Structures are given as structure tokens and as C-alpha cells.
């Protein structure tokens, strides 16, 4: 039974404010990893901070406040991705200040495209693990999932990234088709090559 709910709400609000101020750069990097745009990342962090402060009275366990705020920020990122609109390549280049004919950073573009092809939940695991340096246990707690689920998502996502970033993915598919063709031809003539 709480006798002075106003005091708890005030303490929660101050705790949330301190967490947001302390971890602002981390939240910004998380949002930027999803949006690739400075203004959108700032908007996401601002909206997340507003929602966290507005809902600070609903926080039941102050010891989980950091995780609570991080989930709010993550949900804001997912919300942004759901409402994302189509943007032309030229508009993105213009926004970044890249001139026509200027040299691109192909490695970053390829990695970003590969990350964008992953489902949101898999991308979140990769970003939290490798860009935010979080441990698997922390990621599992943050996403409210089992550690083994997070591990399997991580390894599956890494495999997908590796295949999409190397020509090995395409070459492996072509090699598999050739092997299947040889097997079919061998069965047709009663010969087994494998």
C-alpha cells in the first residue's frame, strides 16, 4: 500500500530524467542505426523521452527503469520503421551532402542494405550486440525473450548478413543447383555421383 503516490511519481520522474540524460547518446545511436538520418534519430529519442517521462508514474520497479526506457526507445524505432515512407536515392545523397559523382563508401552501403533486409527483431539483436556492445543476457532482458532465442536469432542473422555481403551466397546457390542437376541426371541413367 502506497501512502504518498505523489512522492513515488516524483522520484520515478527524477530517475527517468537522470537515465535519459545519462544514456542520451546511446539512445541516439540506437535510433540512428535504424533511421540513418540525424533529424529522424533526434525525433525518435525526443518522442521516446517524452513518453518515458509522461508514463513515469506507471513504473512499478525503479530497479528496471533503464530497461523500461530502452524498451520505449526501441518501440519508437519500430514505430518509425512501420510508418517509413519511400525516399529517392538522390534525396538521401542530397541530404548527406554528397555531390553527384562523388566517391561512395560501398562497404557501409552494402552493410546497411544487408541490415535493412533483416526482420526488425533480428536487426535489433545485431544492433544491440555489435553497435551497442550489450551482452546477450542484457539483450534477452531488454527484448523480454529467452537467452537461447536471442542467441539463435543472432547466429541466424549473422549467417544471413554473411551470405548477403559475400558472393559466397550467390555462388553457393549456383553450386547447389548444379549438384541437384547432376543428381537428377544420374538417377535418370541409374548412376550415383554422390
Amino acid at each position: 500500500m502506497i501512502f504518498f503516490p505523489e512522492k513515488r511519481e516524483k522520484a520515478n520522474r527524477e530517475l527517468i530524467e537522470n537515465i535519459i540524460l545519462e544514456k542520451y547518446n546511446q539512445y541516439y545511436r540506437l535510433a540512428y542505426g535504424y533511421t540513418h538520418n540525424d533529424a529522424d534519430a533526434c525525433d525518435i529519442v525526443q518522442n521516446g523521452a517524452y513518453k518515458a517521462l509522461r508514463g513515469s508514474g506507471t513504473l512499478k520497479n525503479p530497479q528496471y527503469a533503464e530497461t523500461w526506457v530502452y524498451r520505449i526507445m526501441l518501440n519508437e524505432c519500430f514505430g518509425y520503421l512501420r510508418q517509413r515512407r519511400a525516399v529517392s536515392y538522390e534525396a538521401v545523397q542530397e541530404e548527406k551532402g554528397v555531390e553527384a559523382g562523388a566517391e561512395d563508401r560501398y562497404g557501409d552501403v552494402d552493410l546497411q542494405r544487408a541490415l535493412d533486409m533483416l526482420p526488425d527483431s533480428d536487426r535489433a539483436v545485431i544492433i544491440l550486440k555489435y553497435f551497442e556492445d550489450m551482452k546477450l543476457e542484457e539483450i534477452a532482458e531488454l527484448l523480454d525473450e529467452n537467452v537461447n532465442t536471442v542467441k539463435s536469432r543472432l547466429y541466424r542473422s549473422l549467417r544471413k548478413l554473411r551470405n548477403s555481403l559475400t558472393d559466397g551466397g550467390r555462388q553457393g546457390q549456383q553450386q547447389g543447383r548444379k549438384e541437384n542437376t547432376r543428381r537428377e541426371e544420374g538417377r535418370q541413367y541409374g548412376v550415383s555421383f554422390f
Side-chain angles (χ1 to χ4, degrees):
M1 181 173 193
I2 299 172
F3 293 108
F4 301 104
E6 302 86 30
K7 286 187 178 182
R8 184 186 77 179
E9 287 179 21
K10 184 178 178 185
N12 283 350
R13 185 174 178 87
E14 289 175 3
L15 176 64
I16 299 299
E17 285 176 8
N18 290 334
I19 289 171
I20 291 171
L21 291 174
E22 182 181 312
K23 305 272 186 178
Y24 181 86
N25 289 336
Q26 185 177 357
Y27 300 143
Y28 172 80
R29 283 192 315 269
L30 174 73
Y32 191 83
Y34 281 99
T35 63
H36 316 295
N37 183 325
D38 183 49
D40 289 338
C42 287
D43 287 345
I44 286 172
V45 174
Q46 183 178 2
N47 290 341
Y50 172 74
K51 287 181 180 180
L53 289 171
R54 187 184 66 195
S56 62
T58 63
L59 180 64
K60 294 178 182 157
N61 294 327
Q63 66 262 22
Y64 299 121
E66 278 187 39
T67 303
W68 185 74
V69 173
Y70 210 96
R71 281 187 186 172
I72 291 172
M73 295 296 176
L74 204 54
N75 286 335
E76 284 296 307
C77 291
F78 292 153
Y80 169 83
L81 292 175
R82 280 191 296 272
Q83 69 174 359
R84 188 162 76 181
R85 57 199 175 278
V87 178
S88 70
Y89 177 76
E90 291 79 20
V92 170
Q93 295 303 322
E94 184 178 307
E95 184 175 305
K96 289 183 178 181
V98 176
E99 297 177 15
E103 185 175 322
D104 286 338
R105 294 177 296 181
Y106 292 111
D108 295 341
V109 172
D110 290 342
L111 176 61
Q112 195 51 57
R113 285 184 183 153
L115 279 172
D116 288 343
M117 289 180 5
L118 293 174
D120 292 342
S121 55
D122 292 349
R123 186 178 333 142
V125 172
I126 294 288
I127 288 173
L128 294 173
K129 173 71 175 157
Y130 293 105
F131 295 99
E132 295 297 326
D133 295 326
M134 294 180 83
K135 296 178 181 175
L136 292 175
E137 293 80 17
E138 294 172 329
I139 296 170
E141 180 183 335
L142 181 66
L143 297 176
D144 197 27
E145 293 181 352
N146 188 330
V147 175
N148 291 330
T149 303
V150 171
K151 284 181 187 178
S152 65
R153 263 198 201 150
L154 175 67
Y155 297 129
R156 180 181 62 236
S157 300
L158 287 174
R159 193 173 333 116
K160 287 179 183 177
L161 285 174
R162 191 176 305 116
N163 285 338
S164 64
L165 290 174
T166 63
D167 287 334
R170 286 185 282 263
Q171 290 173 353
Q173 290 173 351
Q174 291 171 351
Q175 184 66 26
R177 286 188 202 122
K178 288 179 184 177
E179 289 175 7
N180 287 339
T181 303
R182 280 192 244 161
R183 283 186 190 139
E184 291 301 318
E185 289 173 355
R187 286 187 195 134
Q188 190 176 24
Y189 295 107
V191 178
S192 176
F193 294 109
F194 306 99

